[in-house]
Amino acid sequence: MKEFLKNQKVTYNLMSFTGYKALVLFSLLAEGPKSYNEICDYFLNHPYLRESISIDTLRVYINSLKRIGCEVKRVRGEDKISRYIILAHPFELKLTPEQIQSISKVYKSIVKKMDIEELRAMDNFFEKIGRYIKNDKFISDMKKISLLRDIDKELLKDLLDCCDKKDQIVITYNSPNSGQKDIELIADKIEIENGKVYLFGIGFEYNQYGSFLVSRINKIKEIKLEKTIPHGIQSIRVLYELDCPPENITLNENEKIIGTNKNKTVIEVVTSNEFLLRQRLLAYGPLCKIIHPDEFKNKFIALLKDMKAGYYCD
Amino acid sequence: MTKKLTEKYNDACVKLFEFIKMLYDGDVEFKKVINHFSDGEYNGKSNTHVTLNKYLNAMKIFGIKVKKINHKYRMLSSLYKLKFSIDDLKSIKLLKESEDILPEGKGKINFQNFIRALEIRFDESAQSICQVENSTQNLDLEFSNAEITNQLKYCAKLCQDKQKLEIIFTNTKGEEINLLCSPLEQIYEKRKLCLKVLGSKGTRIYNIPTDSIKSIKQLPVSSSTQAIPTTVVYRIKNRLAKNYKIREWERVDKIEYDGSQVIVNKNEDLNLLLERLMRYGTQCSIISPKFLKEEMIEKINKTLENYQ
């Protein structure tokens, strides 16, 4: 072997030529159909073999491959030449039903911690494995677990590209309230919230930052070549206090801590979407107190009173 | 139709491929290999070991890497390779690092065998990416989960032991909570590893983020097996009802004439559920159980108190 490594010359003392030829033949036929002449050419031009193979020897090799479980078939192409191909062999990736069960158990456990890119990669990976093991059910079972199950993968990829470039786009959206409609927005990011995939961006209709369920987007109708800066976007600056230490707070991109006092943290948020902010602050419950501005605070108090009234009316 | 195997074949080829088949199934003892190549007649004097070396060299020159470790042969790179992209490798690594989520036993072994089956089929490019990744600690491939592996293992053990626990953890406010509970499983909530437990009364589920746990004490008492977590019924209406996506652990009980829906929810951490339902504002109200409805009203009242 040392000699081989030094001068790259293969001798009969070094290795089993029969074994080596069988391995070469296996890889040739597993790759695709090969005629006797094509096999001979390959062997003849091979840097270590440099010799042809008789048809009888080829048959012996093919019989040996069949014996170890390879499904070798002879096919005749349009050129009327017979070619050999390995359709199946014992070294293919195979999964038992128990293995599939374990894989889906692990996937179910981690699917919620994955971000959008990881989910896309995992979906593609399982599709690839499904193709290797020739099992469509495996692909569909894994798809059922994925948070991207209702989403067109090509569309998602295009939307992610738009977000990267902060493109101004028109999407056809299937709104539960107003049916199918076109929405123009500047795409910002795609994120998963509460197990759902949202496209975030500045919408031109309401001039505010909003989120759109990706599963409800039918298509990207247009990508504008030139961006128009939406007019009249009204952002508000809200200050709120949280009754918890800063290390326990996960800030959004539009938030920053502007002060701390004992166990209390004051946060500033700038947003054009009051609805999303109200939802966020409601979830904090009694831990959160809005400080500024009064108008937003009063609307929030009115909402809480309506929620309370709802319980006493039922 | 049965396979016709009576034709002339080459015994050396068959032996070599059978050896490769053995290697696909796992490490193979030297003794087993030498017996295989000598048809069980190896007496220490014949030259089977020379023949074996020739086969091993043929495999090596072909590109099949086989290493002898502790008198066992292990295949490191196989005859039949599959192409994996860098994204595929990230997915494999993510799955591999999450195997501890499975309890010890057949399920875990099956999963480990799947990962090994993939790894030995890596093509050259995948192998070199992995080698670089293994030898470069600082290489950031954005999928390192190693730091939570220990937490995962520990939580898996707790769930397997099925003993009651006394957990001290901090809530969002930073207050320490002392909880007697039974461990159920480990889950991810908002991208954080959580230990899902059932409260001592056997009705309330808690998803405790592992990074908020101060201490865990196993008590010499078995976990209760007859616990029934609380079922929560709530109504959603208007725009929320049109948009609402039912969770795996929920079902729609009724759709009213005005489009509002009655949802039945089981197995969710009640504190997290209350947080979620608060977000829905006036478009959601809890119907039952009474104690949770009262908790919700108290939560609203306490929030209102902030402004008095």
Side-chain angles (χ1 to χ4, degrees), chain A residues 107 111 115-124 142-153 156 160 190 192 195-197 214-215, chain B residues 245:
Chain A
Y107 188 28
V111 72
D115 66 24
I116 197 83
E117 292 296 349
E118 286 169 336
L119 277 172
R120 282 183 68 219
M122 194 64 88
D123 267 20
N124 291 336
M142 294 301 135
K143 213 164 242 173
K144 276 180 206 158
I145 300 170
S146 170
L147 299 179
L148 306 181
R149 57 187 167 264
D150 306 325
I151 293 168
D152 176 345
K153 268 166 52 182
L156 179 65
L160 282 163
I190 291 184
I192 298 164
K196 289 182 274 184
V197 184
V214 174
S215 59
Chain B
K245 194 173 169 190

Side-chain angles (χ1 to χ4, degrees), chain A residues 64 109 113 128 176 243 290, chain B residues 10 88 173 188 191 243 307:
Chain A
S64 310
S109 315
K113 74 172 279 259
K128 187 180 269 184
D243 188 8
I290 296 164
Chain B
N10 187 306
D88 293 331
K173 212 175 164 180
Y188 288 96
R191 290 177 66 82
N243 276 309
Y307 301 97

Side-chain angles (χ1 to χ4, degrees), chain A residues 1 4 10 12-16 18-20 22-24 26-27 30 48 59-61 63-70 89-93 95-96 98-99 102-103 105-107 109-110 112-115 118 121-122 124-126 128-129 132 147 149-150 176-177 193-196 213 216 243-245 248 250 263 275 279-280 282-283 285-290 297 300-301 303-308 311-312 314, chain B residues 3 5-10 12-14 16-18 20-21 24 53-55 57-62 64 79-80 82-85 87-88 91-92 94-95 98-99 101-103 106-108 110-111 113-114 117-118 121 142-143 145 148 170-174 186-188 190-192 239 242-245 247 249 275-286 293 296-297 299-304 306-307:
Chain A
M1 197 68 194
F4 166 72
V10 176
Y12 283 91
N13 289 335
L14 174 72
M15 71 167 183
S16 156
T18 310
Y20 189 79
L23 291 172
V24 171
F26 171 87
S27 73
Y48 305 146
R59 282 197 196 111
V60 170
Y61 278 120
N63 289 342
S64 310
L65 290 175
K66 282 181 182 170
R67 202 168 178 90
I68 56 119
C70 292
H89 56 81
F91 313 112
E92 283 173 345
L93 183 68
L95 297 185
T96 62
E98 292 78 24
Q99 277 180 316
S102 298
I103 297 164
K105 202 170 175 185
V106 170
Y107 188 28
S109 315
I110 61 170
K112 282 191 185 158
K113 74 172 279 259
M114 293 163 74
D115 66 24
E118 286 169 336
M122 194 64 88
N124 291 336
F125 166 70
F126 282 134
K128 187 180 269 184
I129 296 296
Y132 283 144
L147 299 179
R149 57 187 167 264
D150 306 325
N177 297 316
E193 277 190 11
N194 293 319
K196 289 182 274 184
L213 263 177
R216 288 192 173 276
D243 188 8
C244 57
N248 288 2
T250 311
N263 201 37
F275 174 76
Q279 273 204 331
R280 178 166 166 81
L282 275 172
L287 293 179
C288 169
K289 182 184 176 182
I290 296 164
K297 182 164 76 179
F300 192 79
I301 295 169
L303 174 65
L304 285 167
K305 283 180 179 168
D306 286 346
M307 285 167 71
K308 185 178 170 181
Y311 277 98
Y312 289 109
D314 284 345
Chain B
K3 276 184 186 175
L5 293 172
T6 49
E7 292 112 330
K8 201 176 167 191
Y9 66 92
N10 187 306
C13 286
V14 173
L16 175 66
F17 280 105
E18 277 173 348
I20 295 172
K21 262 203 242 179
Y24 267 100
N53 269 340
K54 284 191 180 182
Y55 284 119
N57 284 344
M59 288 162 72
K60 198 171 186 176
I61 292 168
F62 182 77
I64 303 170
L79 166 67
Y80 178 68
L82 302 176
K83 277 185 186 167
F84 289 108
S85 66
D87 276 352
D88 293 331
S91 300
I92 295 168
L94 194 60
L95 288 170
S98 308
E99 72 176 36
I101 213 129
L102 295 171
K106 275 185 186 171
K108 194 169 183 172
N110 282 329
F111 186 79
N113 287 342
F114 161 66
L118 293 178
R121 285 173 175 84
E142 294 171 9
F143 54 87
N145 272 340
I148 62 162
T170 52
N171 62 11
T172 321
K173 212 175 164 180
Q186 18 185 359
I187 57 159
Y188 288 96
K190 294 177 185 170
R191 290 177 66 82
K192 277 185 176 179
R239 200 175 158 173
K242 285 183 185 172
N243 276 309
Y244 193 74
K245 194 173 169 190
R247 270 67 174 166
W249 52 89
E275 265 182 33
R276 181 158 76 82
L277 301 189
M278 271 292 274
R279 286 171 73 99
Y280 301 153
T282 51
Q283 296 186 71
C284 171
S285 54
I286 296 172
K293 190 172 165 178
M296 183 62 136
I297 296 170
K299 203 169 170 130
I300 298 169
N301 281 337
K302 278 192 170 171
T303 313
L304 275 168
N306 282 341
Y307 301 97

Side-chain angles (χ1 to χ4, degrees), chain A residues 188-213:
Chain A
D188 179 32
K189 61 179 179 180
I190 291 184
E191 274 186 3
I192 298 164
E193 277 190 11
N194 293 319
K196 289 182 274 184
V197 184
Y198 289 95
L199 165 68
F200 289 83
I202 301 168
F204 281 63
E205 188 180 5
Y206 301 109
N207 273 333
Q208 64 178 17
Y209 195 79
S211 59
F212 307 88
L213 263 177

Side-chain angles (χ1 to χ4, degrees), chain A residues 40-59:
Chain A
C40 283
D41 280 352
Y42 190 86
F43 274 48
L44 204 58
N45 296 316
H46 193 284
Y48 305 146
L49 300 176
R50 290 198 189 102
E51 61 182 29
S52 189
I53 180 173
S54 75
I55 186 74
D56 287 339
T57 314
L58 179 67
R59 282 197 196 111

Side-chain angles (χ1 to χ4, degrees), chain A residues 1 19 70 79-80 100 113 120 163 174 180 184 192 197 211 253 266 304 312-313:
Chain A
M1 197 68 194
C70 292
D79 53 6
K80 308 279 180 210
I100 295 177
K113 74 172 279 259
R120 282 183 68 219
C163 290
N174 187 13
Q180 193 151 302
E184 190 167 350
I192 298 164
V197 184
S211 59
E253 285 164 15
V266 180
L304 285 167
Y312 289 109
C313 287

